[in-house]
């Protein structure tokens, strides 16, 4: 019974952790893009994003990570035999990468606060894809363990997910292009 409780709250922790990780880097993107705004909007926006990032990191993201890890330790102490399994070793490798990403986000947050961040918004958008990949790999490992299915249903699901991701990316790119076009037109109108 304890094992199921640990597993349930392990999953709750994961949801909270990832909600924080995804939104944090999205805020970094808005924070960097605020540099394009004229004053005083620029300073107001940057200060506001800084507060939001700090709260999100301290109140949601890090506690989510701590609950996930604490519940994982609970799972391992209740069923120590699972430590011998290959899938868990691979999963732990990805968890270490994820913890590194979490820590790197804190560094970026500090750099943004000090105005020393070198990343542009396009690069941050690409960085924000990293936790998605880690999430998918870790969940697949946790669910299928050493028996990842490779039948037609599995490939169908993979194809569907790839199509969904590609559609979202194309839509986001189109919206960015439209926005850039609109801004250029407005600048041209103002100068003529
Ligand atoms: C902190 C290191 C972690 C350890 C030591 C760990 C360990 C475990 C263990 C032992 C289980 C139970 C497996 C079972 O009974 O079938 C489990 C379940 C699970 N873990 Fe983790 N985990 C960790 C981090 C994560 C992370 C970061 C994620 C997601 C990104 C994750 C996703 C899951 C999921 C979805 C399950 C439920 C699998 C199922 O019931 O089929 N774990 N984890």
């Amino acid at each position: 019974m304890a094992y199921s409780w640990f597993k349930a709250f392990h999953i709750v922790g994961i949801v909270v952790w990832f909600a924080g990780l995804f939104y944090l880097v999205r805020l970094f993107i808005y924070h960097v893009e605020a540099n394009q705004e004229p004053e005083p909007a620029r300073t107001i926006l940057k200060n506001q994003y800084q507060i939001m990032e700090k709260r999100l990191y301290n109140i949601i993201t890090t506690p989510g990570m701590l609950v996930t890890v604490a519940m994982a330790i609970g799972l391992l102490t209740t069923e120590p035999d699972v430590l011998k399994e290959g899938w868990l070793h691979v999963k732990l490798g990805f968890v270490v990468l994820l913890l590194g990403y979490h820590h790197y986000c804190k560094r970026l947050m500090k750099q943004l606060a000090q105005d020393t961040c070198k990343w542009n918004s396009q690069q941050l958008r690409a960085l924000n894809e990293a936790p998605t990949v880690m999430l998918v790999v870790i969940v697949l490992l946790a669910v299928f363990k050493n028996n990842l299915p490779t039948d037609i249903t599995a490939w169908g699901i993979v194809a569907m997910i790839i199509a969904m991701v590609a559609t979202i990316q194309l839509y986001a790119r189109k919206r960015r292009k439209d926005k850039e076009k609109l801004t250029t037109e407005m600048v041209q109108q103002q100068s003529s």
Side-chain angles (χ1 to χ4, degrees), residues 3 7 10-11 14 17-18 65 68-73 75-76 79 82-83 87-88 91-92 94-95 98-99 134-136 138-140 142-145:
Y3 191 79
K7 205 197 282 196
H10 182 55
I11 294 170
I14 293 161
W17 187 11
F18 274 84
M65 180 267 284
T68 305
V69 174
M71 295 301 118
I73 294 169
L75 284 165
L76 297 180
E79 291 267 351
V82 81
L83 272 168
W87 66 270
L88 187 71
K91 177 175 163 177
L92 285 176
F94 281 96
V95 174
L98 193 61
L99 290 169
M134 288 187 251
L135 176 67
V136 171
I138 295 174
V139 169
L140 289 178
V143 172
F144 293 108
K145 305 190 166 52

Side-chain angles (χ1 to χ4, degrees), residues 14 18 35 37 39 43 146 161 164 174 177 184 187:
I14 293 161
F18 274 84
N35 278 321
E37 301 296 329
E39 286 292 6
T43 309
N146 298 322
I161 291 169
M164 263 170 62
K174 186 183 172 306
K177 288 254 159 68
T184 321
V187 171

